[in-house]
């Protein structure tokens, strides 16, 4: 701050005033010698130099003070009185320490009495910025510049002080510094929660890693993510979501204490860096305490919200770690925790890392095949028990996995993180399915319907339902020849923007809607009431062993009776035996698919099967 003030305009004036006062002091000393008869008169060609200098210093804006070696004031100019509020008569013979220091900086009487300038410290040009107090009690910042006029003895030496009120400049500098601190804080902290942001996290991690490059120091990472956070925003509004995020930040900060740093890195994800933890036990204890803290309900307005989360843990030696690797490992551990059922704690291991790299490699290959058209279509015949013939095909996309053969590519993806990929796969199944079923229609002169599985990835895309209608029209399908199958586990009626609204749009354009995999344990009978569906498809889990389980038969019979009473047609997937076919027909099921009809078929195989298929038990 002193350096800043030293460069403000007026520096040269101060130096000039200092020089002027020094000259006055010299003149004072010379005058004493003249009076003693030891020196000639000091009159220049300009006249009386002392009078000119006296005129200058009396009209200066800066305060001027002349002191003896013990600090006693011998002379001050009018500006000093204006600055301090003390008249020259009030302070002459006193030391400034007696009256100008604020209470918190007061010296003891002994310190004041024993004061004497140390000329090894106070030399001409020495500067000092000090907080002073005016006569009225007002505080101000005083910039002092010292000049020393040495006499023959210390008692004859004079100390000249140039005093400048720089309060406004100091306050301006403070404002700039406070603004800098605020901007730095804003740049490094999350506005909503107040914890560090990603930039601060990266910088902190790099510092900790750099400090621990030698020795056995460890560093721990806790990667936390809320489970089903979107449901909170959708059901209670973003205000409630913000309150939950602040609650998470508070819990994590309280649990971590001064052991490290908590940061929000985006959305509902938080990372805590634990500086030199004692070991795995401490890390797990911190993770469990975070989950326990979040288990307590959060009160938002009149609602008590219960939240949960998943935790990924990493413990590594700082000598062998890097900031980016630590975050990546923590992300892998968190992903594993979510896949294991959520509200779990998972550790990063080398095996987990290898599996993640393999999965990333597989996804990269899948992306390449998605772009190059590397997917294939499988067709599952659907058999009508009344007419005893194939009436339609369920179509699904398949991908040739590098090591596992043909697989459902959607099963390799996350419904939250891979929405675009899933939508692309479902679009392929729809468009290619329309093309292949149309081909079978033309070959057989039979109006086969198309059944396709869709999810929120497609149905929540703006304009998708209209695109489906247009694609059906271009393929020569009536929209009621298309059945959209929705997995029961993705239907949520408490979501304002959930699939219930998409179902209404599908019905408006004439498509039929089937509730798929019913009985898989993810939904309930309430879906039959609230979902505006046409058809219910029983889950293969209910059908397996149907002929041998009385409980399953009773359950299936009850479900089919209920669905029938609600006006829904009932179909079944995973039907493998003719005995199952007999029971399902008896219970009121109208359509079946499974091994008893055919395994999933390629389009070419579907054509051959269509020509040759016979179900002998139901031949006339």
């Amino acid at each position: 701050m002193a350096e800043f003030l030293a460069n403000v305009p007026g520096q040269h004036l101060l130096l000039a005033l200092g020089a002027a006062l020094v000259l006055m002091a010299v003149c004072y000393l010379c005058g004493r010698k003249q009076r003693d008869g030891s020196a000639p008169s000091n009159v220049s060609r300009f006249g009386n130099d002392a009078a000119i200098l006296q005129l200058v210093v009396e009209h200066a804006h800066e305060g001027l003070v002349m002191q003896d070696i013990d600090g006693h004031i011998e002379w001050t100019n009018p500006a000093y009185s204006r600055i301090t509020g003390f008249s020259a008569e009030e302070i002459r013979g006193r030391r400034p320490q007696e009256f100008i220091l604020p209470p918190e900086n007061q010296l003891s009487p002994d310190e004041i009495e024993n004061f004497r300038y140390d000329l090894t410290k106070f030399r001409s040009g020495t500067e000092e910025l000090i907080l002073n107090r005016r006569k009225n009690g007002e505080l101000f910042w005083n910039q002092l510049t010292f000049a020393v006029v040495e006499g023959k003895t210390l008692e004859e030496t004079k100390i000249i002080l140039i005093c400048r009120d720089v309060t406004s400049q100091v306050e301006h500098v403070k404002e700039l510094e406070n603004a800098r601190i605020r901007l730095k804080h804003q740049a490094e902290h999350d506005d909503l929660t107040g914890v560090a942001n990603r930039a601060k996290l990266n910088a902190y991690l790099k510092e900790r890693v750099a400090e621990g490059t030698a020795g056995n120091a460890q560093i721990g990472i806790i990667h936390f993510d809320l489970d089903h956070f979107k449901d909170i925003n959708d059901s209670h509004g973003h205000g409630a979501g913000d309150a939950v995020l602040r609650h998470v930040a508070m819990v994590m900060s309280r649990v971590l204490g001064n052991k490290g740093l908590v940061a929000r890195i985006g959305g509902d994800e938080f990372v805590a860096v634990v500086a030199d933890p004692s070991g795995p036990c401490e890390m797990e204890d911190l993770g469990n305490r975070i989950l326990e803290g979040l288990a307590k309900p959060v009160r938002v307005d009149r609602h008590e919200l219960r939240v949960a989360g998943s935790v990924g843990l990493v413990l590594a030696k700082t000598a062998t770690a890097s900031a980016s690797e630590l975050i990546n490992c923590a992300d892998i551990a968190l992903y594993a925790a979510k896949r294991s059922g959520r509200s779990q704690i998972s550790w990063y291991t080398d095996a987990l890392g290898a599996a993640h790299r393999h999965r990333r490699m597989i996804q990269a290959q899948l992306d390449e095949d998605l772009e190059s058209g590397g997917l294939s279509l499988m067709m599952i015949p659907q058999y009508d028990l009344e007419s005893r013939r194939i009436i339609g095909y369920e179509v699904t996309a398949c991908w040739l996995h590098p090591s596992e053969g043909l697989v459902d590519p959607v099963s390799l993806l996350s419904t939250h993180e891979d929405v675009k990929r899933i939508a692309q796969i479902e679009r392929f199944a729809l468009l290619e399915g329309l093309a292949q079923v149309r081909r079978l229609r033309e070959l057989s002169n039979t109006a086969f319907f198309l059944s396709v599985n869709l999810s929120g990835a497609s149905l929540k895309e703006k304009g998708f339902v209209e695109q489906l209608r247009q694609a059906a029209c271009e393929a020569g399908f009536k929209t009621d020849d298309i059945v959209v199958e929705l997995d029961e586990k993705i239907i949520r009626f408490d979501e304002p923007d959930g699939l219930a609204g998409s179902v209404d749009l599908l019905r408006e354009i004439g498509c039929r809607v089937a509730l798929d995999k019913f009985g898989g344990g993810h939904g309930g009978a309430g879906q039959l009431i609230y979902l505006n569906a046409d058809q219910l498809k029983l889950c293969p889990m209910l059908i397996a062993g149907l002929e041998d389980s009385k409980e399953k038969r009773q359950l299936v019979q009850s479900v089919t009776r209920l669905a029938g009473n609600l006006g829904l047609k009932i179909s079944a997937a995973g039907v493998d035996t003719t005995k199952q076919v007999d029971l399902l027909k008896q219970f009121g099921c109208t359509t079946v698919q499974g091994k008893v009809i055919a395994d999933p078929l390629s389009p070419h195989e579907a054509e051959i099967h269509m020509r040759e298929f016979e179900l002998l038990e139901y031949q006339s």
Side-chain angles (χ1 to χ4, degrees):
M1 187 176 289
E3 293 177 359
F4 169 81
L5 293 171
N7 294 324
V8 297
Q11 180 183 22
H12 298 298
L13 177 59
L14 288 175
L15 294 175
L17 289 171
L21 200 50
V22 169
L23 286 173
M24 287 184 63
V26 171
C27 292
Y28 169 81
L29 295 174
C30 290
R32 287 186 57 183
K33 292 179 181 179
Q34 183 179 7
R35 288 192 298 273
D36 296 338
S38 57
S41 176
N42 186 29
V43 178
S44 73
R45 62 190 178 90
F46 294 105
N48 191 333
D49 288 346
I52 295 173
L53 293 173
Q54 181 74 23
L55 185 64
V56 171
V57 298
E58 285 184 355
H59 290 81
H61 291 287
E62 282 70 22
L64 301 173
V65 180
M66 185 166 66
Q67 296 175 278
D68 63 17
I69 195 67
D70 294 318
H72 296 101
I73 297 174
E74 296 186 349
W75 174 88
T76 60
N77 71 337
Y80 187 76
S81 294
R82 289 196 300 271
I83 292 172
T84 65
F86 293 97
S87 67
E89 291 74 17
E90 289 180 286
I91 59 177
R92 187 176 296 116
R94 301 175 66 187
R95 294 181 173 94
Q97 296 93 323
E98 297 177 32
F99 59 85
I100 205 168
L101 294 177
E104 61 271 20
N105 296 336
Q106 284 283 1
L107 300 180
S108 67
D110 288 342
E111 288 176 312
I112 296 174
E113 181 64 29
N114 297 323
F115 176 81
R116 172 170 271 212
Y117 278 105
D118 183 352
L119 297 184
T120 63
K121 297 180 180 178
F122 290 90
R123 299 180 180 180
S124 295
T126 299
E127 290 186 345
E128 186 176 278
L129 181 65
I130 188 169
L131 185 64
N132 282 171
R133 182 177 60 172
R134 309 186 207 276
K135 184 178 179 179
N136 63 6
E138 181 184 358
L139 298 179
F140 71 100
W141 285 98
N142 195 357
Q143 184 186 19
L144 302 177
T145 303
F146 296 85
V148 179
V149 181
E150 296 184 9
K152 287 185 176 182
T153 65
L154 278 177
E155 281 65 27
E156 292 184 345
T157 297
K158 304 301 176 185
I159 309 299
I160 312 299
L161 273 68
I162 304 172
C163 307
R164 190 179 185 209
D165 183 354
V166 293
T167 304
S168 60
Q169 292 94 321
V170 170
E171 290 177 349
H172 179 63
V173 171
K174 283 184 176 180
E175 289 175 1
L176 291 176
E177 179 64 14
N178 290 337
R180 186 191 68 81
I181 293 172
R182 285 196 305 272
L183 290 173
K184 186 173 186 294
H185 186 274
Q186 291 172 2
E188 294 181 341
H189 290 78
D190 175 54
D191 290 338
L192 176 63
T193 62
V195 298
N197 60 14
R198 185 182 289 272
K200 176 65 175 177
L201 171 69
N202 290 336
Y204 181 84
L205 261 179
K206 289 177 182 177
E207 290 175 5
R208 300 287 78 78
V209 170
E211 290 173 358
T213 52
N216 294 318
Q218 296 188 110
I219 191 166
I221 306 292
I222 302 173
H223 194 174
F224 174 84
D225 180 81
L226 279 167
D227 294 338
H228 305 299
F229 177 65
K230 185 177 181 298
D231 295 346
I232 295 174
N233 278 331
D234 291 344
S235 301
H236 301 282
H238 289 281
D242 290 347
V244 168
L245 292 175
R246 286 191 289 267
H247 176 66
V248 172
M250 180 192 68
V251 169
M252 293 188 68
S253 298
R254 186 174 64 239
V255 169
L256 195 64
N258 60 357
K259 295 179 182 293
L261 177 83
V262 174
R264 179 186 176 209
I265 61 174
D268 57 341
E269 288 188 66
F270 293 79
V271 169
V273 180
V274 186
D276 201 15
S278 59
C281 290
E282 181 182 4
M283 292 294 296
E284 286 198 12
D285 177 63
L286 292 172
N288 281 315
R289 286 168 58 194
I290 290 171
L291 293 182
E292 289 169 4
L294 292 173
K296 300 174 182 177
V298 185
R299 188 164 186 82
V300 179
D301 297 329
R302 298 181 180 179
H303 302 283
E304 285 195 345
L305 305 181
R306 294 188 177 274
V307 297
S310 302
V311 172
L313 298 179
V314 176
L315 183 62
K317 292 186 181 298
T318 52
T320 58
S322 74
S324 59
E325 288 173 352
L326 287 169
I327 294 296
N328 185 52
C329 291
D331 190 56
I332 293 171
L334 176 64
Y335 185 72
K338 287 185 171 295
R339 288 177 67 90
S340 64
R342 299 179 183 267
S343 299
Q344 302 289 324
I345 294 178
S346 290
W347 276 97
Y348 174 82
T349 64
D350 290 340
L352 192 63
H356 178 78
R357 288 190 293 274
H358 178 70
R359 185 166 56 252
R360 292 291 296 271
M361 180 185 69
I362 295 300
Q363 286 189 353
Q365 182 63 55
L366 174 59
D367 285 342
E368 185 177 328
D369 287 346
L370 283 174
E371 293 301 320
S372 63
L375 296 181
S376 58
L377 190 76
M378 300 302 288
M379 307 178 70
I380 304 172
Q382 298 189 328
Y383 182 84
D384 181 69
L385 295 178
E386 291 298 325
S387 62
R388 299 195 299 275
R389 63 187 179 88
I390 295 171
I391 58 172
Y393 291 87
E394 178 183 347
V395 297
T396 60
C398 285
W399 178 60
L400 185 60
H401 192 284
S403 59
E404 299 178 12
L406 284 175
V407 299
D408 175 8
V410 173
S411 66
L412 305 175
L413 303 174
S414 165
T415 56
H416 296 288
E417 300 170 4
D418 300 302
V419 173
K420 290 185 178 180
R421 290 190 182 100
I422 293 173
Q424 191 173 354
I425 292 168
E426 292 176 350
R427 189 177 299 274
F428 165 82
L430 172 64
L431 298 179
E432 183 66 13
L434 286 169
Q436 294 299 335
V437 174
R438 180 180 64 180
R439 189 176 64 86
L440 295 182
R441 280 180 156 198
E442 293 170 351
L443 290 172
S444 64
N445 198 27
T446 301
F448 296 124
F449 67 81
L450 169 76
S451 184
V452 61
N453 287 275
L454 297 178
S455 70
S458 294
L459 294 175
K460 289 184 180 181
E461 274 191 352
K462 186 177 181 180
F464 174 79
V465 172
E466 176 57 27
Q467 293 170 16
L468 186 154
R469 186 198 64 76
Q470 185 175 349
C473 180
E474 291 174 355
F477 280 72
K478 297 178 181 177
T479 50
D480 63 358
D481 286 339
I482 296 178
V483 178
V484 175
E485 298 191 5
L486 303 176
D487 192 326
E488 68 160 8
K489 67 182 179 183
I490 67 173
I491 303 295
R492 297 183 62 86
F493 297 102
D494 56 352
E495 291 185 1
D497 62 343
L499 295 185
S502 300
V503 170
D504 292 336
L505 292 177
L506 290 170
R507 294 297 303 274
E508 283 178 11
I509 67 170
C511 289
R512 289 182 282 167
V513 176
L515 185 60
D516 192 19
K517 298 179 182 177
F518 189 84
H522 297 286
Q527 291 176 315
L528 302 180
I529 299 173
Y530 294 108
L531 184 66
N532 189 17
D534 303 273
Q535 182 177 324
L536 180 147
K537 181 184 281 190
L538 299 174
C539 176
M541 290 174 56
L542 281 181
I543 307 304
L546 182 66
E547 61 270 43
D548 301 319
S549 172
K550 179 180 179 181
E551 290 77 12
K552 281 192 175 182
R553 290 196 297 272
Q554 289 177 337
L555 178 58
V556 171
Q557 190 171 14
S558 298
V559 170
T560 54
R561 184 183 298 116
L562 174 61
N565 291 338
L566 294 172
L568 300 177
K569 291 185 176 181
I570 302 94
S571 63
V575 182
D576 296 337
T577 68
T578 54
K579 180 63 175 175
Q580 292 170 353
V581 172
D582 287 333
L583 289 169
L584 289 168
K585 184 176 182 181
Q586 177 183 338
F587 295 154
C589 186
T590 59
T591 310
V592 297
Q593 65 185 62
K595 287 185 178 181
V596 71
I597 309 300
D599 286 322
L601 306 167
S602 69
H604 178 66
E605 291 169 337
E607 178 185 344
I608 296 173
H609 177 269
M610 177 192 68
R611 297 181 186 278
E612 299 179 350
F613 174 73
E614 288 181 337
L615 189 62
L616 297 178
E617 289 81 359
Y618 292 96
Q619 283 185 328
S620 299

